[in-house]
Amino acid sequence: MSSGTPAQGGSGTATADANESPATSGGIASPVTACRSCGGAAPRLFLSLGSTPIANRLVRADALDATDPSFPLEVGFCESCALVQLTHELPASEIFDEDYPYFSSFSDMLVRHAEKHVIDLIASRNLGPDSLVVEVASNDGYLLKAFVERGIPVLGIEPTPGPAAAAREAGVPTREEFFGADLARQLVAEGLRADVIIANNVMAHVPDLNSFVEGFSILLADGGLVDVENPGVGALLAHTEFDTVYHEHFCYFSTIAVDALMRRHGLALVGVQEFPELHGGTLRWSMQHAATAQPAESVAAVLDAERAAGLDSFARYATFGDDVRTVQEELIALLRSLRAEGKTVAAYGAAAKGATLLNSSGITTDLIDFVVDRNVHKQGKYIPGARLPILDPAVLLERQPDYLLLLAWNVKKEIIAQQAEYAARGGSFIVPVPRPVVL
């Protein structure tokens, strides 16, 4: 799973009709008829990105003759609990298969962020050899490995085979399962209780939110702490980060929505931290059992700020589709003008967000020649829908394209630093959001 993923083609535009035909949707995309969190009315639609392929379902070279199945990609708002969520749902088995390609260790920034988190938790929670840290959606063990190196017992829960195998090879004990209330009860029956539970970049990937959070409440030891990280919906709106929408992300969280979800399962927010540079704007929510929780002042301050920004009202979301269409049109116009000048354009980052940006905007090989990515598990394959070949970043110096579109713009500083030689030879970078700019 992505540095979490649950531990549990076609193209369109921001205003396209996502409800195409059963053949296009494969007959397996189910409309959401009730809020995933509070069970209230179906979410109210405010953004349609058309019908797109599954973003991380990379295409093998021997499958290029087949058509990529595509599915409705729409987003709505729950007017009861303020949860932003997809209006259609694919089975997790369709999204997180044996070829799931995300390995967290390929991001230097993410590894550094994780190690600091580990060091802070050890100090603040007084963790030692008698403690237990459980990470839900532990991916390739990139975070838990830092605890193991310091002699602290851990358990990773990771349902995707490739990352789970990589974690075990790195010395991180890992259960290859989806997380929820049933698994939590099983672990408690085995005598396990977690002093710390970490769930980074996974809660958005979970269709059954209530079972997931109930699992926290069951597995967490008395006095223990749950830390959950996910990009915040406030940053998504403010920076027009529409490409972070894909079928794998069932939900997009505000602190308001997280607070309501946690309270439903006997947990209370005790802290909120913001990391503006991580994944386009990430929030870390810290929870404890409500009976003993002592919230920090930051919790009320963040809730008040979000309400003042209108994140609890549909009105704030109503014009987002227009904002998205503006960004798409400006990007396409820029790429076409560069092509007209005879310039060559490549892209960096075969990330899921890149697949959404390309497919929802209708950008294919007519405007971009290829994509590069450090992840060797992606190289040699193709972006679904857009069908751009994914190559080793070394190709950039061999072919020296004039421009490099940063599909993985959330790590743009890291990419630009890595590609200093490309820039020194005259290469330029294009950052697509919040508005397309050339660096």
Side-chain angles (χ1 to χ4, degrees), residues 9-12 20 24 49-53 67-71 355 358-360 384-386:
S11 64
E20 297 189 2
T24 302
L49 293 173
S51 185
T52 72
T67 300
D68 297 326
S70 61
F71 309 91
L358 296 170
N359 288 312
S360 69

Side-chain angles (χ1 to χ4, degrees), residues 32-278:
V32 173
T33 58
C35 174
R36 289 178 175 86
S37 179
C38 70
R44 185 176 175 186
L45 178 68
F46 67 86
L47 174 67
S48 173
L49 293 173
S51 185
T52 72
I54 296 173
N56 271 316
R57 185 69 62 81
L58 302 181
V59 181
R60 297 177 182 275
D62 60 4
L64 288 173
D65 290 338
T67 300
D68 297 326
S70 61
F71 309 91
L73 188 57
E74 298 182 329
V75 190
F77 174 79
C78 175
E79 296 186 283
S80 297
C81 72
L83 179 64
V84 174
Q85 55 201 291
L86 296 186
T87 64
H88 289 76
E89 182 176 305
L90 289 173
S93 59
E94 280 292 315
I95 301 172
F96 307 109
D97 61 9
E98 65 275 7
D99 290 326
Y100 187 75
Y102 188 92
F103 288 73
S104 300
S105 294
F106 285 99
S107 171
D108 297 336
M109 181 180 74
L110 193 58
V111 172
R112 289 193 300 270
H113 174 78
E115 184 152 13
K116 184 178 186 308
H117 190 190
V118 167
I119 292 169
D120 290 347
L121 281 171
I122 291 172
S124 64
R125 307 302 298 173
N126 194 27
L127 301 177
D130 295 326
S131 306
L132 176 64
V133 177
V134 174
E135 185 182 8
V136 176
S138 49
N139 199 257
D140 57 10
Y142 78 107
L143 185 149
L144 290 182
K145 189 171 138 183
F147 283 111
V148 172
E149 290 168 350
R150 292 164 173 81
I152 296 170
V154 304
L155 175 64
I157 299 171
E158 172 56 49
T160 56
R168 286 190 288 266
E169 191 172 325
V172 176
T174 303
R175 300 273 289 255
E176 200 172 306
E177 300 183 57
F178 286 94
F179 182 78
D182 288 344
L183 179 56
R185 292 187 191 97
Q186 182 181 334
L187 294 173
V188 170
E190 294 171 11
L192 300 178
R193 296 292 295 277
D195 298 289
V196 172
I197 298 174
I198 299 171
N200 290 349
N201 299 307
V202 56
M203 198 160 70
H205 303 239
V206 177
D208 189 349
L209 282 176
N210 287 297
S211 175
F212 188 75
V213 175
E214 183 184 357
F216 292 161
S217 186
I218 293 167
L219 185 59
L220 188 65
D222 294 341
L225 183 77
V226 181
D227 270 355
V228 172
E229 288 185 13
N230 262 113
V233 76
L236 185 153
L237 296 174
H239 306 143
T240 326
E241 297 171 359
F242 70 97
D243 53 345
T244 62
V245 175
Y246 39 96
H247 300 103
E248 190 174 310
H249 284 169
F250 296 100
C251 300
Y252 306 84
F253 294 96
S254 62
T255 303
I256 295 167
V258 169
D259 181 52
L261 173 62
M262 295 299 161
R263 287 181 181 279
R264 194 175 303 118
H265 298 282
L267 297 171
L269 278 167
V270 295
V272 183
Q273 290 179 266
E274 183 177 7
F275 302 93
E277 297 297 318
L278 185 65

